């Protein structure tokens, strides 16, 4: 694979941007080599600046559930673009997207648009604190919630897991308002509530944790979490920035049929444009400015071009069998590779939920917590990654990242990927 132009651009980018990138994981640090500069996409395929073609399983880290340049999205965005890129006023596009979402979601009654998943989480946490008049937040090791200060916190040592900052620039005074617990552990959650009576504003979780591997939780655990939050007067926040509109139109709340108090969205909601959102019932949302005392605003919030992309994409998601087809396609990929790995006794399998999949290098087939992931196994991913690139398959450049399948992936794409994966796994485990 010739990637001379990418290498040249990366050299120049290093002079412009920290690490040469606008977001850290793009720098290829965990797989080695240099990032690939993309030029264009169509459906499930992308082309880099050197002219190499790939089947894309990163899909912009999840947003592109229809693949690239879907005709309906392009048409709607073009229509909006010609009317003006931003007004700083309400527009019909924002209302149309709001109505479309609320009409098809049993779990929220009002929604506020923002411009990223991070902003959605930041606002949801402020809302939970404003609503409960409490400060502490419980989060889980193995979940990512964007680069919100109070979420850039990892578990401290010992049983009492008051958070310690995992990023420079986050005050300890703020970090200690965050408690970090292991996933899949009801007792730890009970204990945290018992130790902090009337202090927990919210428990925030990715109901389908998909940012640190794919750590699928038991429904019973999420149900217990719901009950504990209710009993203790804390809000349950489902961070559905990945799972929202991905695992069904109603996301994980719908999939598990569990009603959180606040839901955050991002990624798919904007059709590939920068959009985030948070929603709740009318009572909770009445606490948001200008109705209530919790301030939250945005110059480009509800941007008409971005809203247009969201309308087009989510309308496609609502077509009959959309999610079934995605899940079936993904299951075929996963099952085919898994039977190959089982036959050959390779230390590898794929796990999935709906159209999210993750490549695991372990014999443990029930990985539910972050500490079950063997960091050393990432050496296999590194080899696999570059071999797949050479075969025209693009994954997010980290073994902790999941893959996404879009409605644009064809049966031929899936078949090609199965064949390539088998060849590559033989290289990983037999050479
Ligand atoms: C991506 C993501 C975020 C952050 O969204 P950005 O748009 O990158 O700010 C927050 N929470 C979850 C679960 C995510 O996957």
């Amino acid at each position: 694979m010739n990637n001379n132009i990418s290498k040249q651009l990366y050299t120049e980018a290093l002079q412009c941007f920290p690490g040469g990138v606008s977001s850290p994981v793009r720098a290829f640090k965990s797989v080695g080599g240099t990032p690939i500069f993309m030029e264009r996409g169509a459906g499930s395929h992308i082309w880099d600046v050197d002219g190499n073609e790939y089947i894309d399983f990163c899909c912009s880290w999840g947003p592109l559930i229809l693949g690239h340049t879907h005709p309906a999205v392009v048409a709607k965005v073009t229509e909006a673009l010609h009317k003006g890129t931003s007004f700083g006023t309400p527009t019909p596009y924002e209302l149309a997207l709001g109505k479309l979402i609320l009409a098809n979601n049993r779990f929220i009654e009002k929604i506020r648009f923002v411009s990223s998943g991070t902003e959605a989480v930041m606002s949801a946490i402020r809302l939970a604190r404003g609503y409960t008049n409490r400060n502490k937040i419980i989060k889980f090791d193995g979940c990512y919630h964007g680069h919100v200060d109070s979420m850039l916190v990892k578990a401290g040592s010992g049983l009492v897991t008051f958070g310690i900052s995992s990023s420079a620039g986050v005050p300890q005074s703020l970090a200690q308002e965050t408690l970090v617990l292991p996933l899949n552990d009801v007792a730890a959650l009970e204990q945290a509530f018992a130790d902090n009576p009337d202090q927990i504003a919210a428990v925030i979780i990715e109901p389908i944790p998909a940012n640190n591997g794919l750590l699928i939780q038991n429904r019973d655990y999420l149900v217990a979490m719901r009950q504990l939050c209710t009993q203790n007067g804390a809000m349950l926040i489902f961070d559905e920035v990945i799972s929202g509109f991905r695992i069904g139109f109603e996301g994980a709340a719908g999939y598990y049929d569990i009603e959180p108090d606040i839901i955050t969205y991002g990624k798919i909601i904007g059709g590939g444009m920068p959009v985030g959102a948070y929603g709740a019932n009318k009572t909770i949302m009445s606490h948001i400015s200008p109705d209530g005392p919790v301030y939250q605003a945005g110059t480009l919030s509800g941007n008409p071009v971005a809203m247009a992309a969201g309308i087009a994409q989510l309308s496609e998601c609502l077509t009959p069998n959309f999610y079934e087809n995605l899940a079936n396609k993904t299951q075929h990929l996963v099952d085919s590779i898994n039977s190959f790995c089982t036959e050959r006794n390779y230390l590898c399998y794929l796990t999935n939920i709906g159209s999210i999949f993750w490549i695991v290098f372990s014999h443990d087939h029930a990985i539910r917590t972050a500490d079950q992931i063997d960091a050393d196994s990432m050496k296999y991913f590194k080899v696999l990654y570059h071999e797949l690139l050479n075969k025209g398959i693009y994954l997010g450049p980290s073994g902790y990242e999941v893959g996404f399948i879009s409605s644009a992936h064809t049966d031929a794409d899936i078949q090609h990927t199965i064949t390539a994966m088998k060849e590559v796994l033989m290289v990983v485990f037999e050479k």
Side-chain angles (χ1 to χ4, degrees):
M1 190 182 84
N2 176 344
N3 61 349
N4 292 338
I5 302 177
S6 274
K7 282 182 177 153
Q8 177 55 36
L9 294 180
Y10 186 54
T11 307
E12 291 175 33
L14 283 168
Q15 303 304 313
C16 284
F17 313 121
V21 291
S22 298
S23 193
V25 72
R26 298 179 195 174
F28 269 51
K29 293 284 182 208
S30 66
V31 291
T34 49
I36 295 166
F37 282 61
M38 292 302 167
E39 184 147 275
R40 69 187 179 91
S44 57
H45 289 230
I46 49 179
W47 287 262
D48 70 17
V49 288
D50 289 282
N52 301 303
E53 180 176 353
Y54 310 87
I55 304 174
D56 182 17
F57 291 100
C58 178
C59 294
S60 187
W61 304 99
L64 302 182
I65 197 166
L66 306 179
H68 297 264
T69 56
H70 187 281
V73 177
V74 172
K76 196 80 180 169
V77 166
T78 306
E79 169 202 292
L81 196 54
H82 285 289
K83 293 181 183 175
T85 51
S86 184
F87 302 94
T89 69
T91 67
Y93 287 112
E94 149 195 79
L95 180 59
L97 183 57
K99 284 164 79 171
L100 179 76
I101 293 168
L102 295 177
N104 293 286
N105 186 318
R106 290 165 295 158
F107 301 93
I108 54 172
E109 292 175 339
K110 281 194 175 176
I111 190 163
R112 167 65 64 85
F113 290 117
V114 293
S115 299
S116 70
T118 294
E119 210 186 335
V121 169
M122 181 186 77
S123 310
I125 288 172
R126 187 179 305 136
L127 174 56
R129 285 176 165 153
Y131 185 86
T132 59
N133 279 311
R134 299 173 177 183
N135 288 336
K136 288 191 166 44
I137 306 286
I138 291 175
K139 75 181 278 283
F140 299 92
D141 187 20
C143 291
Y144 175 70
H145 302 291
H147 63 94
V148 182
D149 276 351
S150 59
M151 294 291 102
L152 291 179
V153 166
K154 63 176 186 289
S157 55
L159 282 177
V160 187
T161 53
F162 278 106
I164 52 170
S165 165
S166 58
S167 164
V170 176
Q172 189 55 29
S173 56
L174 194 60
Q176 69 198 22
E177 302 292 354
T178 305
L179 284 76
V180 186
L181 303 182
L183 285 162
N184 193 40
D185 188 341
V186 178
L189 189 57
E190 283 170 342
Q191 193 60 47
F193 274 118
D195 291 346
N196 299 275
D198 302 325
Q199 293 176 67
I200 309 295
V203 174
I204 183 166
I205 186 169
E206 285 181 82
I208 297 172
N211 277 289
N212 192 321
L214 180 60
L215 306 174
I216 300 167
Q217 300 299 293
N218 291 313
R219 180 173 187 274
D220 291 351
Y221 172 64
L222 298 172
V223 169
M225 183 177 295
R226 171 67 279 180
Q227 285 167 350
L228 284 168
C229 285
T230 306
Q231 284 161 14
N232 290 281
M235 313 216 94
L236 177 59
I237 304 174
F238 271 8
D239 181 357
E240 299 230 41
V241 171
I242 281 189
S243 54
F245 312 102
R246 166 62 64 180
I247 214 77
F249 198 86
E250 289 178 318
Y255 182 86
Y256 291 117
D257 198 20
I258 294 174
E259 186 169 345
D261 297 297
I262 307 175
I263 309 183
T264 58
Y265 298 107
K267 298 196 169 101
I268 291 174
I269 198 173
M273 301 289 276
V275 180
Y278 58 102
N281 67 30
K282 285 178 186 159
T283 311
I284 295 170
M285 290 304 275
S286 74
H287 287 247
I288 293 292
S289 186
D291 285 350
V294 177
Y295 190 71
Q296 189 273 304
T299 302
L300 294 173
S301 295
N303 174 269
V305 182
M307 295 289 108
I311 294 165
Q313 176 149 283
L314 295 192
S315 300
E316 294 293 320
C317 292
L318 285 167
T319 55
N321 298 324
F322 179 85
Y323 289 103
E324 286 83 344
N325 291 340
L326 269 183
N328 289 341
K329 233 187 297 190
T330 311
Q331 202 62 50
H332 177 57
L333 174 75
V334 167
D335 291 347
S336 305
I337 293 164
N338 284 350
S339 50
F340 180 77
C341 288
T342 307
E343 250 168 53
R344 295 178 172 245
N345 203 22
Y346 288 164
L347 185 74
C348 179
Y349 67 94
L350 266 56
T351 181
N352 76 299
I353 181 165
S355 53
I356 309 173
F357 69 88
W358 181 44
I359 306 170
V360 195
F361 298 95
S362 170
H363 285 306
D364 183 351
H365 279 243
I367 298 191
R368 304 199 192 286
T369 64
D371 63 9
Q372 278 174 277
I373 303 173
D374 175 10
D376 190 49
S377 72
M378 294 301 158
K379 66 183 182 223
Y380 298 115
F381 184 81
K382 236 170 139 168
V383 178
L384 175 115
Y385 188 80
H386 289 283
E387 293 289 334
L388 283 177
L389 269 188
N390 284 329
K391 291 192 181 296
I393 308 243
Y394 189 83
L395 299 170
S398 160
Y400 290 93
E401 300 289 350
V402 295
F404 297 99
I405 292 193
S406 76
S407 60
H409 285 86
T410 62
D411 291 343
D413 288 329
I414 299 294
Q415 208 46 55
H416 180 89
T417 304
I418 292 168
T419 307
M421 273 289 282
K422 288 180 180 174
E423 289 167 9
V424 165
L425 285 165
M426 285 164 69
V427 174
V428 172
F429 290 107
E430 293 183 29
K431 283 196 181 145

